[in-house]
């Protein structure tokens, strides 16, 4: 069941004109921003399919940049996001991709600052609901609409236990979990969907937990 | 958790409750929330719908200039003349148009189930309200009933124009609205399902062909027609008319039609009205290039 809540159907409250191409796009941008953890200095947005064909009409680019500025779907400031990004010194480039994609509403967001880089692919499946399908080369299936933790870790025994142990101690319930790796013994990634936003104190513990190299989160 | 209309009706029958109540109880369970919390969230959405309709009835204009002002025209016509199709129906149409004109102008709306189809559910609600005099709770229940049918369509077919064409967007929205009208008017859960089926049947095959890729032409008027179809289907169902094809099978048919629909007709602005000489000329005017 892709849709679980009545508010996936009656909602979200949003700035028009399109739930998939505007609100969903904003959520993809916001997921990237949350996982990056701060404001980037350079953003490249690659649009595919219907996103590519109609982004100007729907303000898809405007909405993704709004999300990157951490605006929610109903935030009036979304309309002015391109101007705001420029004021804040964020360089934004939009790329119209001719290549096909598995889903008609696909966007890839690459963001960086002097230190780090993040690449995220998201699809907007309708009514404002999105899925993150790839993160830094790792395929995944993450709903961008619920709180989640993404952990990069060494592919070793005990890595999962060290993360879930912290969550158990903090009484945080895991709704869904996914583990993937580039190759045995190398870099791996854990995606944990949870029921509530993760507080800073828990993130700090996860960052220094055994075998974990990087921790990021998506908040509601 | 209900997965289709058949299961939704079975729960309603078994427990002796309305469709809206099935949806409310499921939401409380899924989110581990209280009844008050679930109602409070829906109240926020209802308030946004009210504001959008009011804003649209004052008159708005989109950035492209393609849409805006029609809700005002319709209301003026209703005051000055006697509409042939009836006051209530045209009131629903004007309020659906008002909502989508606000959406096109990048105003704030509540997606029901999407932004492009956001007019049908509130448009009919605020019209029918004047006839049925519902309580505030009844109005919120209207949205839960709409949501229950939308929930089934979203999980078994699609509510996205890019995936399934306009039949999946305005078709779903109109179906949801018709089912909710039936409940508010005192119909049975089965009659709600009949209204949903009748509406969606009449929307089958409807393509998504936005001129210049904007959620304006023909989206605003498609919501007007979606609202009117919802009203008529609700009346048919309340009269005892049934659909020969069960609701779940209609939803499945809509899904399969959507899957076979060429991409030119699924929100790419490459077919239908978008590909007419005037549609292309409008796009050129707006973007300054082909």
């Amino acid at each position: 069941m892709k849709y679980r809540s009545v508010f996936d159907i009656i909602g979200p409250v949003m700035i028009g004109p399109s739930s998939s191409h505007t609100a969903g796009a904003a959520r993809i941008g916001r997921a990237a921003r949350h996982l990056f953890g701060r404001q980037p200095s350079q953003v490249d947005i690659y649009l595919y399919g219907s996103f590519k064909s109609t982004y100007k009409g729907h303000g898809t680019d405007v909405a993704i940049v709004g999300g990157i500025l951490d605006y929610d779907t109903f935030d009036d400031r979304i309309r002015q996001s391109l101007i705001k990004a420029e004021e804040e010194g964020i360089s934004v480039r939009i790329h119209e991709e001719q290549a096909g994609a598995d889903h008609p509403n696909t966007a890839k967001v690459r963001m960086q600052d002097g230190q780090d880089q993040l690449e995220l692919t998201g699809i907007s499946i309708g009514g404002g609901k999105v899925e993150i399908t790839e993160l830094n080369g790792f395929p995944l299936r993450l709903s961008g609409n619920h709180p989640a933790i993404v952990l990069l870790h060494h592919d070793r025994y005990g890595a999962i236990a060290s993360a879930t142990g912290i969550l158990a101690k903090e009484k945080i319930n895991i709704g869904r979990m996914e583990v993937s790796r580039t190759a045995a013994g190398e870099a791996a990634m854990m995606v944990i969907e949870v029921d509530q936003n993760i507080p800073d104190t828990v993130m700090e513990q996860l960052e220094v937990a055994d075998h974990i190299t990087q921790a990021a989160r998506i908040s509601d | 958790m209900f997965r289709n209309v058949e299961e939704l009706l079975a729960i309603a029958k078994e427990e002796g409750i309305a469709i809206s109540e099935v949806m409310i109880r499921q939401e409380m369970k899924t989110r581990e929330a209280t009844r008050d919390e679930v109602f409070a969230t829906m109240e926020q959405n209802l308030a946004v719908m009210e504001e959008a309709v009011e804003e649209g009835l004052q008159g708005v204009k989109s950035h492209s200039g393609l849409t805006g002002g029609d809700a005002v025209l319709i209301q003026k016509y209703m005051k000055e003349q006697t509409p042939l199709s009836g006051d209530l129906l045209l009131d629903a149409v004007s309020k659906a148009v008002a909502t989508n004109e606000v959406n096109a102008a990048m105003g704030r709306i509540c997606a029901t189930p999407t932004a492009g189809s956001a007019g049908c559910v509130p448009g009919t609600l605020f019209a029918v309200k004047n006839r049925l005099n519902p309580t505030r709770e009844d109005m919120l229940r209207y949205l839960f009933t709409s949501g229950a049918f939308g929930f089934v369509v979203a999980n078994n077919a699609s509510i996205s124009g890019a995936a399934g064409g306009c039949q999946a967007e305005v078709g779903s929205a109109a179906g949801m609205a018709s089912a909710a009208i039936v409940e508010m008017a005192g119909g049975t859960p089965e009659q709600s399902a009949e209204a949903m089926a009748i509406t969606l049947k009449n929307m089958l095959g409807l393509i998504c062909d936005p001129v210049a890729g904007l959620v304006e032409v023909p989206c605003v008027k498609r919501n007007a027609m979606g609202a009117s179809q919802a009203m008529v289907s609700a009346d048919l169902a309340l009269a005892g008319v049934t659909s020969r094809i069960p609701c779940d099978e209609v939803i499945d048919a809509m899904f399969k039609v959507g899957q076979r629909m060429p991409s030119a007709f699924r929100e790419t602005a490459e077919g239908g009205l978008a590909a007419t000489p005037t549609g292309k000329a409008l796009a050129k005017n707006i973007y300054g290039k082909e």
Side-chain angles (χ1 to χ4, degrees):
Chain A
M1 303 272 275
K2 287 182 286 185
Y3 296 78
R4 299 189 63 82
S5 166
V6 68
F7 299 109
D8 291 336
I9 308 298
I10 306 297
V13 171
M14 53 166 283
I15 302 302
S18 167
S19 48
S20 53
H21 290 59
T22 318
R27 282 177 163 168
I28 290 171
R30 197 154 180 249
R33 161 64 186 263
H34 283 187
L35 291 171
F36 195 62
R38 57 189 180 275
Q39 196 141 292
S41 57
Q42 167 77 45
V43 177
D44 285 277
I45 298 168
Y46 303 84
L47 302 171
Y48 301 83
S50 173
F51 265 12
K52 182 230 13 165
S53 305
T54 68
Y55 75 96
K56 285 177 185 157
H58 287 128
T60 305
D61 51 342
V62 175
I64 292 177
V65 171
I68 290 168
L69 290 165
D70 204 15
Y71 300 160
D72 210 331
T73 55
F74 52 80
D75 196 320
D76 288 321
R77 293 175 297 176
I78 281 184
R79 297 185 199 112
Q80 311 298 330
S81 69
L82 293 180
I83 297 161
K84 186 75 181 160
E86 201 181 333
E87 280 172 11
E88 304 218 345
I90 307 173
S91 149
V92 177
R93 282 191 302 230
I94 309 292
H95 308 266
E96 299 178 15
E97 293 295 304
Q98 299 305 320
D102 289 343
H103 192 277
N105 298 333
T106 300
K108 185 165 81 184
V109 178
R110 183 181 293 150
M111 49 172 65
Q112 51 198 334
D113 60 7
Q115 301 164 313
D116 289 312
Q117 179 172 319
L118 172 140
E119 190 180 288
L120 172 149
T121 303
I123 59 174
S124 183
I125 63 173
K129 214 167 159 54
V130 301
E131 283 173 19
I132 309 304
T133 55
E134 204 177 307
L135 181 63
N136 292 336
F138 289 97
L140 72 162
R141 215 188 81 235
L142 172 65
S143 145
N145 310 351
H146 297 290
I149 308 166
V150 175
L151 301 172
L152 282 176
H153 60 98
H154 300 301
D155 185 29
R156 300 235 174 87
Y157 68 90
I160 294 167
S162 77
T164 55
I166 290 167
L167 296 181
K169 184 164 65 75
E170 297 287 340
K171 297 191 169 63
I172 293 167
N173 186 36
I174 296 173
R176 205 180 69 82
M177 189 165 167
E178 196 179 340
V179 183
S180 56
R181 61 186 179 184
T182 46
E186 292 182 9
M189 191 172 72
M190 234 184 290
V191 176
I192 305 169
E193 284 191 11
V194 289
D195 295 335
Q196 71 266 51
N197 287 334
I198 301 296
D200 290 341
T201 49
V202 175
M203 292 306 291
E204 285 158 14
Q205 292 180 56
L206 287 168
E207 277 161 15
V208 298
D210 285 347
H211 309 304
I212 290 171
T213 52
Q214 208 182 324
R217 69 185 148 182
I218 295 177
S219 300
D220 244 348
Chain B
M1 188 177 269
F2 59 90
R3 287 167 299 179
N4 50 41
V5 173
E6 196 184 340
E7 290 179 6
L8 174 63
L9 293 179
I11 298 170
K13 193 171 182 185
E14 212 167 278
E15 316 253 325
I17 54 178
I19 299 278
S20 57
E21 185 62 24
V22 178
M23 189 74 249
I24 292 162
R25 290 184 189 179
Q26 178 173 301
E27 188 68 22
M28 287 166 61
K29 209 171 160 190
T30 309
R31 291 206 307 170
E32 293 176 359
T34 64
R35 179 173 292 266
D36 285 351
E37 284 165 351
V38 171
F39 267 93
T41 306
M42 197 57 100
E43 172 58 42
Q44 288 171 7
N45 290 353
L46 178 58
V48 170
M49 294 177 205
E50 280 172 327
E51 284 163 22
V53 167
E54 272 169 38
E55 195 186 338
L57 292 179
Q58 300 296 315
V60 288
K61 202 85 193 159
S62 70
H63 294 302
S64 71
L66 286 179
T67 54
D70 285 352
V72 176
L73 281 182
I74 303 166
Q75 284 285 338
K76 186 164 171 279
Y77 166 71
M78 286 169 61
K79 282 197 187 81
E80 292 169 359
Q81 297 179 53
T82 309
L84 296 169
S85 54
D87 275 333
L88 202 63
L89 190 119
L90 218 56
D91 194 33
V93 164
S94 74
K95 285 168 180 169
V97 167
T99 302
N100 282 86
E101 286 181 338
V102 168
N103 180 58
M106 284 193 95
R108 184 182 292 148
I109 54 95
C110 178
T112 54
T114 65
S117 61
C120 299
V121 169
T124 51
L125 169 57
F126 297 129
V128 173
K129 171 182 174 245
N130 293 334
R131 173 72 65 86
L132 299 175
N133 299 314
T135 62
R136 192 72 180 173
E137 184 184 323
D138 291 338
M139 291 175 70
L140 294 169
R141 283 184 176 274
Y142 189 97
L143 301 179
F144 283 110
T145 306
S146 300
F149 282 93
F151 183 84
V152 170
V153 178
N155 279 316
N156 293 285
S158 168
I159 51 168
S160 142
C166 193
Q167 55 164 9
E169 285 211 37
V170 172
S172 302
M176 289 157 56
S178 62
I181 298 168
V182 168
E183 182 175 311
M184 186 177 267
T188 64
E190 287 76 16
Q191 286 174 321
S192 282
E194 296 296 347
M196 171 83 197
I198 293 167
T199 305
L200 203 52
K201 276 159 66 172
N202 292 329
M203 294 281 177
L204 275 193
L206 195 60
I207 60 171
C208 179
D209 51 351
V211 167
L214 299 165
V215 191
E216 301 198 40
V217 178
C219 319
V220 173
K221 292 189 188 76
R222 292 255 169 91
N223 274 270
M225 291 310 106
S228 63
Q229 174 70 56
M231 299 277 286
V232 173
S233 300
D235 266 333
L236 292 183
L238 288 164
V241 175
T242 57
S243 169
R244 291 288 175 270
I245 310 296
C247 193
D248 283 319
E249 290 184 34
V250 175
I251 292 169
D252 189 50
M254 187 273 274
F255 179 52
K256 286 178 176 146
V257 169
Q259 279 184 318
R260 297 180 68 176
M261 206 177 260
S263 90
F265 302 145
R266 287 189 281 117
E267 209 170 346
T268 51
E270 287 163 6
L273 297 172
T276 57
T278 302
K280 285 197 267 190
L282 288 170
K284 196 177 171 189
N285 276 343
I286 291 163
Y287 300 129
K289 61 171 179 127
E290 289 286 352

